[in-house]
Amino acid sequence: MPSSCDTTKNIFQSQRTYTRLSNSGQSEINIADFEALMSEALTRSGLTENEAKITSATLMYAELRGNNQGLVKLLSGALIPNTKAAQSKIHVLHQTPSSAVIDGGQKIGMAIMHEASSIAIKKAKVTGIAVVSATNYSSATGAIGCWARKISDEGLVGIVMSQCPEMVAPYGSYEPVFGTNPISIAVPTKSKPIVLDMATSAAAWFGVVAADREGSLIPGDIAYDEHGKQTCDPSAALKGALRVFDRGHKGSGLALMIELLAGAMTGAAMSNKKEAENWGSLLIAIDPVLFGPPEMFLAKVEEMCARVKAAQKLPGVTEIMLPGEQGNKIEAANLKKGYLSINTDQLHQLLIMAGKEIEN
């Protein structure tokens, strides 16, 4: 491990005084220390210790996998707790043996998803299938592949979808109507689950936020400015609208269906969603045993995945990846080396948010 990372670890464990690790653009930080810093920053922002622990672990899931649903959410102010949350709690409004309706009580979105996924797992293990909705929250749910994977780690198929405020234009328009409306489907295997995790927008909203913070350009075909002109300026895109992932009617249709299932069916807001502070998610957990022996299912999953991996490759293609496989490789490499490389200015901001002293 590089000496700069060792220095960070020593600072964390003894002096409790924090410093920029590099005068260049990137710095290295021990993974456990990074997560602890995020948790401390979240606690200082008003989250409970448990909420901060859940949220920082969800952000770390994204950071480890090279997913832009991590630190940028914290630094952008998207995880400041709603003032209404102090007098409320997450609770189940209604439930059956195979379903639950959760009122998030304006608690932080990731804590709500943690509770909703736990309930879905528990019910599916008893009834074979569970459907859980969550509403009455107004903050990010995190990389939702984290929640689908959590379900699938229990040997269940996990399907998770969320809607959020207006950021994405329907096909043929430049007015933001949809959220980025991500969907994740996780299928268990004999080893790690296969996890599809995708926004229905051409880019993740926080990916554009990160580009804006870093002064980077975005691809010119993923967003419109407020006048309907395609733009590579992230600041203009944030004032305009993102496009759907395929720039066509199929992506627009899928975004709408997620809006209706995770939003309309759960009772979440359908207009002025940011002001309404009532976003929605839908989680489904399915036990494959409903349809036959689990061993048969796992064998057939392995058979199809092997066929995909062995399919004849186009020129220039070295490996065909399964959903989530690239993220798994990045995660494994990061865990092996024990540290992450992050933007130095972002580390500096995180240290300040966590209330740490900065050495110049």
Side-chain angles (χ1 to χ4, degrees):
M1 189 178 295
S3 58
S4 58
C5 191
D6 291 338
T7 300
T8 308
K9 188 171 183 179
N10 290 337
I11 289 171
F12 269 81
Q13 292 180 342
S14 56
Q15 300 174 14
R16 307 304 295 176
T17 301
Y18 296 77
T19 183
R20 293 191 190 198
L21 302 184
S22 171
N23 291 323
S24 63
Q26 294 293 116
S27 293
E28 292 164 357
I29 183 169
N30 175 276
I31 290 171
D33 294 337
F34 188 9
E35 186 169 344
L37 265 183
M38 290 194 290
S39 185
E40 290 182 62
L42 288 162
T43 302
R44 284 171 58 84
S45 77
L47 296 190
T48 67
E49 185 175 334
N50 187 53
E51 289 169 343
K53 182 178 179 181
I54 291 168
T55 303
S56 60
T58 309
L59 297 178
M60 184 53 66
Y61 168 88
E63 288 290 337
L64 285 171
R65 300 175 66 80
N67 184 309
N68 55 23
Q69 300 295 300
L71 178 61
V72 64
K73 287 181 181 282
L74 174 58
L75 299 184
S76 66
L79 301 178
I80 297 173
N82 191 306
T83 54
K84 299 174 185 176
Q87 290 78 40
S88 65
K89 61 180 181 179
I90 302 169
H91 64 284
V92 177
L93 290 174
H94 170 73
Q95 63 180 320
T96 70
S98 60
S99 67
V101 176
I102 295 177
D103 181 332
Q106 288 302 315
K107 292 294 188 179
I108 202 75
M110 297 176 211
I112 295 167
M113 294 298 279
H114 175 78
E115 179 70 11
S117 56
S118 295
I119 291 173
I121 290 167
K122 184 177 180 180
K123 287 182 176 292
K125 286 190 170 184
V126 175
T127 66
I129 188 167
V131 183
V132 177
S133 70
T135 56
N136 191 23
Y137 66 90
S138 53
S139 58
T141 52
I144 62 170
C146 179
W147 311 118
R149 178 170 162 177
K150 175 184 172 182
I151 294 170
S152 198
D153 279 339
E154 298 294 327
L156 307 169
V157 173
I159 304 172
V160 182
M161 60 192 82
S162 298
Q163 56 94 254
C164 59
E166 295 86 345
M167 303 171 178
V168 181
Y171 178 57
S173 173
Y174 64 91
E175 178 186 355
V177 174
F178 305 139
T180 53
N181 294 9
I183 182 169
S184 181
I185 302 173
V187 175
T189 72
K190 293 178 181 179
S191 54
K192 284 190 174 183
I194 298 171
V195 183
L196 171 70
D197 180 359
M198 58 172 281
T200 50
S201 53
W205 181 259
F206 281 94
V208 181
V209 171
D212 187 41
R213 293 176 63 86
E214 295 166 4
S216 304
L217 296 178
I218 59 174
D221 66 340
I222 68 169
Y224 298 113
D225 65 18
E226 59 188 320
H227 305 294
K229 303 289 187 183
Q230 291 190 43
T231 181
C232 57
D233 178 359
S235 179
L238 294 173
K239 296 174 185 175
L242 296 178
R243 301 177 70 182
V244 291
F245 70 91
D246 67 343
R247 288 74 162 169
H249 66 280
K250 293 182 180 180
S252 189
L254 181 58
L256 174 61
M257 291 299 109
I258 294 172
E259 196 77 49
L260 300 181
L261 292 175
M265 189 167 73
T266 66
M270 289 288 95
S271 59
N272 299 317
K273 289 176 275 184
K274 186 172 183 179
E275 293 76 12
E277 297 184 336
N278 185 22
W279 311 351
S281 290
L282 189 71
L283 302 87
I284 303 169
I286 305 169
D287 191 339
V289 76
L290 288 176
F291 307 100
E295 298 78 14
M296 179 188 72
F297 171 67
L298 293 176
K300 289 186 176 294
V301 169
E302 295 291 324
E303 179 183 0
M304 177 50 66
C305 290
R307 288 194 64 197
V308 171
K309 294 292 292 182
Q312 293 188 20
K313 301 172 184 64
L314 290 168
V317 175
T318 58
E319 183 178 6
I320 297 173
M321 295 284 188
L322 299 172
E325 188 175 4
Q326 183 64 32
N328 289 343
K329 291 185 176 185
I330 295 171
E331 180 182 42
N334 283 328
L335 289 173
K336 182 177 180 180
K337 66 184 182 182
Y339 66 91
L340 289 173
S341 178
I342 66 172
N343 179 277
T344 298
D345 289 335
Q346 291 182 359
L347 176 57
H348 183 270
Q349 186 178 349
L350 176 60
L351 291 168
I352 293 172
M353 291 179 70
K356 308 305 177 185
E357 299 176 26
I358 310 294
E359 292 181 352
N360 294 318

